[in-house]
Amino acid sequence: MRTALLQSSGRPGSVEGNLKVLDEAAGRAAAAGAGLLAAPEMFLTGYAIGDDIARLAEPADGESADAVAEIAARHGIALVYGYPERSGDTVFNSAQLISATGDRLANYRKTHLFGCFERDHFTPGEQPVVQAELNGVRVGLMICYDVEFPENVRAHALAGSDLLVVPTAQMHPFQFVAESMIPVRAFENQMYVAYVNRVGQEGEFEFVGLSTLAGPDGVARTRAGRGEELVFADADPAFVAASREANPYLMDRRPELYGSLV
């Protein structure tokens, strides 16, 4: 499945503006043959927008979700996007997968919140593995800091995720995550990992870009630079299956030894 990564911070504070950016990118990605376009963490509203997070938060099936579904269906491409999700009085840092026909396939709430900023504005999610089938690929969702916990990614590997999509807001000086950790996560868990980042200065944060899609062989299939960019790579479930046959990591596990980890 041809996969497009939209490396952009969009228009922080403007849902309407970000929907326009997503629409334009979806058209370009679909024209290039992509079946999936992934956008960064909190793409719908912007990340460093303070109390506007709560003001702009919407339900998973809210008006903006309907607008994203319309974009997906019009261009015939599945979309993953980050947004602040409201459920009653609670706000989650979430990512949603919409199919190419505009159906809501999966919604994930970030389980590991990073720093005081996120803990002040969000409640952590409680479901570590969220997946959906898309074009013969089992797609899992995760957000930014979540991927830095090996237990999280291993849970997806054991649940059969072929492609782990990780909208992120990776900031300076932690660019080693994109450069080094993501290919290692892909290799040790025998899956594709798509890590799609914001860019530039936003409030107190400097986002580093470097969006990448790494394969189960640990090789980055595409890597963006430090500016706004749309990059592409293929996620091939047949290659995942072959790699899992050749690489013994998952088969050679000894779970009876790991009880002390929890």
Side-chain angles (χ1 to χ4, degrees):
M1 180 172 62
R2 190 102 169 125
T3 302
L5 309 182
L6 172 58
Q7 180 167 284
S8 172
S9 287
R11 309 291 180 264
S14 173
V15 173
E16 181 180 0
N18 291 322
L19 287 170
K20 289 180 179 178
V21 173
L22 187 64
D23 190 4
E24 187 272 340
R28 290 169 57 200
L36 173 65
L37 168 67
E41 181 176 5
M42 291 286 287
F43 183 77
L44 187 63
T45 61
Y47 182 90
I49 58 173
D51 291 340
D52 279 348
I53 289 173
R55 181 178 66 82
L56 296 174
E58 295 184 28
D61 59 355
E63 290 184 6
S64 292
D66 290 342
V68 174
E70 188 278 329
I71 292 170
R74 178 157 42 82
H75 293 291
I77 187 171
L79 301 174
V80 171
Y81 68 101
Y83 73 108
E85 178 193 353
R86 177 171 294 284
S87 178
D89 293 329
T90 305
V91 177
F92 299 96
N93 184 337
S94 296
Q96 185 149 226
L97 170 62
I98 306 289
S99 77
T101 55
D103 297 311
R104 295 175 51 246
L105 297 183
N107 188 69
Y108 172 77
R109 296 166 172 173
K110 189 174 186 177
T111 54
H112 296 74
L113 301 180
F114 179 78
C116 295
F117 178 83
E118 291 192 6
R119 289 192 288 269
D120 285 346
H121 290 94
F122 301 108
T123 296
E126 297 295 333
Q127 186 174 355
V129 177
V130 173
Q131 301 170 311
E133 294 290 329
L134 184 68
N135 299 338
V137 177
R138 184 172 293 185
V139 177
L141 298 178
M142 196 172 281
I143 299 174
C144 197
Y145 194 40
D146 291 326
V147 80
E148 298 177 38
F149 292 81
E151 303 90 340
N152 253 18
V153 187
R154 181 53 53 85
H156 270 274
L158 297 177
S161 293
D162 300 313
L163 169 63
L164 184 62
V165 180
V166 188
T168 190
Q170 183 63 66
M171 57 199 70
H172 179 80
F174 305 112
Q175 48 265 34
F176 68 88
V177 175
E179 293 171 336
S180 301
M181 186 180 290
I182 295 306
V184 170
R185 286 286 179 270
F187 180 73
E188 69 189 4
N189 290 289
Q190 290 299 286
M191 61 173 64
Y192 290 94
V193 180
Y195 189 77
V196 54
N197 199 11
R198 305 179 69 83
V199 290
Q201 195 74 32
E202 191 177 331
E204 63 184 290
F205 306 112
E206 179 190 348
F207 299 116
V208 299
L210 302 175
S211 298
T212 188
L213 193 152
D217 54 0
V219 175
R221 300 300 197 273
T222 188
R223 189 185 297 281
R226 297 296 187 99
E228 301 231 343
E229 199 168 346
L230 185 66
V231 296
F232 298 85
D234 293 327
D236 181 0
F239 184 79
V240 172
S243 187
R244 287 172 180 166
E245 283 290 322
N247 186 315
Y249 275 164
L250 299 181
M251 292 181 290
D252 288 350
R253 293 173 65 253
R254 295 187 61 194
E256 70 275 10
L257 302 181
Y258 310 149
S260 62
L261 295 178
V262 294

